[in-house]
């Protein structure tokens, strides 16, 4: 039953597209939606890179490294800053274990 409803909807959409095309309207894919989503992805990626890779992130990683040493790889999982102070949760991992460390500065 659901299949027939879906088929009915798509066939009507297809017919409407042909009608609009016959009247001279464009019926292609919405390029502006594609470009807008691409810009949003780039902006979000840039924000993550700059917010989690700045001076505060470096400070948090250094404080975590002082606690556990060089045997781990460090990744910032959350961070909150206010002026010159802040807190962060740093995930430290190696091939044997994973640890979450909360640091403050």
């Amino acid at each position: 039953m659901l299949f027939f409803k879906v088929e009915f909807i798509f066939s009507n959409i297809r017919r409407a597209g042909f009608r609009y095309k016959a009247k001279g309207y464009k019926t292609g894919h919405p390029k502006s939606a594609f470009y807008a989503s691409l810009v949003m992805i780039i902006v979000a990626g840039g924000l993550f890179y700059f917010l989690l890779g700045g001076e505060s992130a470096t400070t948090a990683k250094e404080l975590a490294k002082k606690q556990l040493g060089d045997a781990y790889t460090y990744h910032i999982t959350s961070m909150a800053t206010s002026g010159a102070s802040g807190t962060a949760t740093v995930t430290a991992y190696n091939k044997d274990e994973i640890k979450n460390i909360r640091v403050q500065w």
Side-chain angles (χ1 to χ4, degrees):
M1 184 75 160
L2 179 64
F3 173 75
F4 294 113
K5 288 182 181 180
V6 171
E7 178 61 31
F8 175 76
I9 292 169
F10 281 118
S11 65
N12 281 333
I13 290 172
R14 238 180 285 133
R15 273 189 253 135
F18 288 129
R19 276 188 242 131
Y20 284 121
K21 196 169 192 174
K23 291 181 181 179
Y25 294 109
K26 289 184 179 181
T27 59
H29 297 290
K31 294 176 186 172
S32 61
F34 172 74
Y35 293 132
S37 63
L38 189 63
V39 167
M40 288 174 54
I41 290 170
I42 291 170
V43 167
L47 284 173
F48 280 122
Y49 177 77
F50 286 114
L51 292 177
L52 294 179
E55 184 180 332
S56 298
T58 305
T59 303
K61 287 180 183 179
E62 288 174 359
L63 291 172
K65 191 178 267 190
K66 284 182 185 177
Q67 291 181 15
L68 296 178
D70 292 327
Y72 292 90
T73 303
Y74 298 95
H75 177 73
I76 306 293
T77 52
S78 68
M79 184 169 48
T81 60
S82 177
S85 64
T87 61
T89 302
V90 181
T91 301
Y93 60 93
N94 60 19
K95 65 179 184 173
D96 298 323
E97 62 183 329
I98 300 171
K99 294 181 178 182
N100 287 318
I101 302 135
R102 188 161 177 86
V103 294
Q104 293 182 333
W105 65 92

